[in-house]
Amino acid sequence: MDTFGSILDQLSLSTLRYHWQTVLTSTVIFAIIYEMSRIFSPVLFPKTFQFFKGYNGPNWHVHVVSTIHCLVVVTGSFFIFADNTLNEDRVNGYVRWAADIYSISCGYFLWDTIIAIYFYKYQGISMVLHGIVSFSVFIFSFRPFINYYGAIFLMYELSTIFLNFHWFMDKLGWTGSLIQLVNGVILLLTFFFARIVFGTYMSYQMWNDIYAVKDDVPWRYWIVYGGGNFITTCLNVWWFSQMVSMLRKRFPAKETAKHK
């Protein structure tokens, strides 16, 4: 274990020695949740699954795992932002329980990357890269690094919950329903405020704090976090415009008026 700890120190992942078990355990748990969905989802939703072919079934199970991960880490992100210890040192601060939450996301994105590779034919290279980049962002937090601001990326998943709900509703035959309209409005609001407004503002604060200790930040962190943050911010604006367009097509003005 001393050798393992020394390797982690050399990799600038010192605190990972306390959390690697949680990372691996989380990976296994998410794999188990996937298998449980394979068993129980067809029983709970037989009318939906009888029409599933090819990747439809696995995609459902992937969305189940994604939703559970989002619910866990979004809840954790609120507590991280409220932690005084991390707030006092937003770049290099460390709290063990907060790092455990990042460990859960590391475990999830490790599982997600494996799944994306396994279903490469259906998910494509973009999802493989998404899993790898997301895993890298959270694994590098074990320097420790931006354990306070890391909650920004967890908070992004708030909108993913409602995006997954929207997807489930389509598969359940609720396309165009009032409940899907309400969910769509909540999706837009959470995406806009969590990712674009709050995310952009907190990203600005994060880089101000990082720049203040720039001499202590390795170049690879500038590349991973700088590149990841810039690309994600641009994608958030693009995705938001696409969601607005999608909802306008799905719920024309006349249909929206009927629900009022």
Side-chain angles (χ1 to χ4, degrees):
M1 186 57 70
D2 289 340
T3 302
F4 180 61
S6 298
I7 294 174
L8 293 178
D9 288 338
Q10 292 176 7
L11 294 173
S12 297
L13 300 174
S14 300
T15 59
L16 184 57
R17 58 164 49 87
Y18 308 119
H19 303 283
W20 64 268
Q21 303 93 329
T22 305
V23 173
L24 295 182
T25 300
S26 297
T27 304
V28 172
I29 289 175
F30 287 122
I32 292 173
I33 293 172
Y34 179 90
E35 294 302 322
M36 289 178 66
S37 180
R38 287 184 60 192
I39 295 171
F40 293 109
S41 291
V43 176
L44 295 173
F45 307 100
K47 293 182 180 180
T48 297
F49 272 78
Q50 68 178 335
F51 298 109
F52 277 180
K53 296 180 180 179
Y55 181 60
N56 285 335
N59 201 15
W60 174 284
H61 310 314
V62 167
H63 278 77
V64 169
V65 179
S66 169
T67 303
I68 293 175
H69 165 254
C70 291
L71 290 170
V72 172
V73 299
V74 167
T75 301
S77 68
F78 287 100
F79 290 98
I80 291 174
F81 279 129
D83 187 88
N84 291 328
T85 300
L86 292 177
N87 189 39
E88 290 174 0
D89 187 352
R90 298 186 173 192
V91 178
N92 298 310
Y94 169 77
V95 174
R96 189 158 182 164
W97 66 264
D100 277 332
I101 295 175
Y102 295 129
S103 300
I104 293 172
S105 272
C106 276
Y108 169 76
F109 285 114
L110 177 58
W111 172 86
D112 186 57
T113 302
I114 295 170
I115 286 293
I117 293 172
Y118 185 78
F119 290 111
Y120 177 83
K121 177 181 177 181
Y122 304 99
Q123 295 197 12
I125 188 63
S126 62
M127 293 307 298
V128 176
L129 294 176
H130 174 267
I132 293 173
V133 171
S134 298
F135 177 79
S136 300
V137 166
F138 287 108
I139 202 70
F140 280 175
S141 70
F142 294 106
R143 175 180 170 87
F145 186 68
I146 60 168
N147 277 198
Y148 176 83
Y149 286 112
I152 300 172
F153 303 105
L154 298 182
M155 189 70 74
Y156 282 175
E157 301 299 338
L158 178 62
S159 62
T160 304
I161 296 171
F162 298 99
L163 181 62
N164 287 349
F165 286 170
H166 191 88
W167 186 91
F168 284 127
M169 290 176 192
D170 276 343
K171 301 307 176 185
L172 291 170
W174 298 353
T175 302
S177 64
L178 176 59
I179 189 172
Q180 191 180 52
L181 174 60
V182 172
N183 181 80
V185 172
I186 297 174
L187 168 59
L188 289 179
L189 290 174
T190 54
F191 194 100
F192 180 74
F193 286 106
R195 290 182 178 244
I196 296 179
V197 177
F198 181 74
T200 302
Y201 170 75
M202 291 302 290
S203 293
Y204 173 77
Q205 296 294 326
M206 178 181 74
W207 288 110
N208 274 343
D209 287 344
I210 291 176
Y211 187 78
V213 294
K214 60 183 183 298
D215 294 335
D216 299 326
V217 180
W219 63 268
R220 61 183 178 277
Y221 283 73
W222 290 96
I223 294 175
V224 171
Y225 287 93
N229 191 218
F230 175 76
I231 292 172
T232 301
T233 300
C234 293
L235 285 175
N236 283 339
V237 175
W238 168 252
W239 286 333
F240 183 74
S241 68
Q242 293 302 297
M243 285 191 292
V244 171
S245 177
M246 176 190 68
L247 285 174
R248 281 179 174 175
K249 291 179 180 178
R250 183 158 296 183
F251 300 99
K254 292 182 179 179
E255 285 296 316
T256 303
K258 289 179 181 180
H259 291 303
K260 289 184 179 180

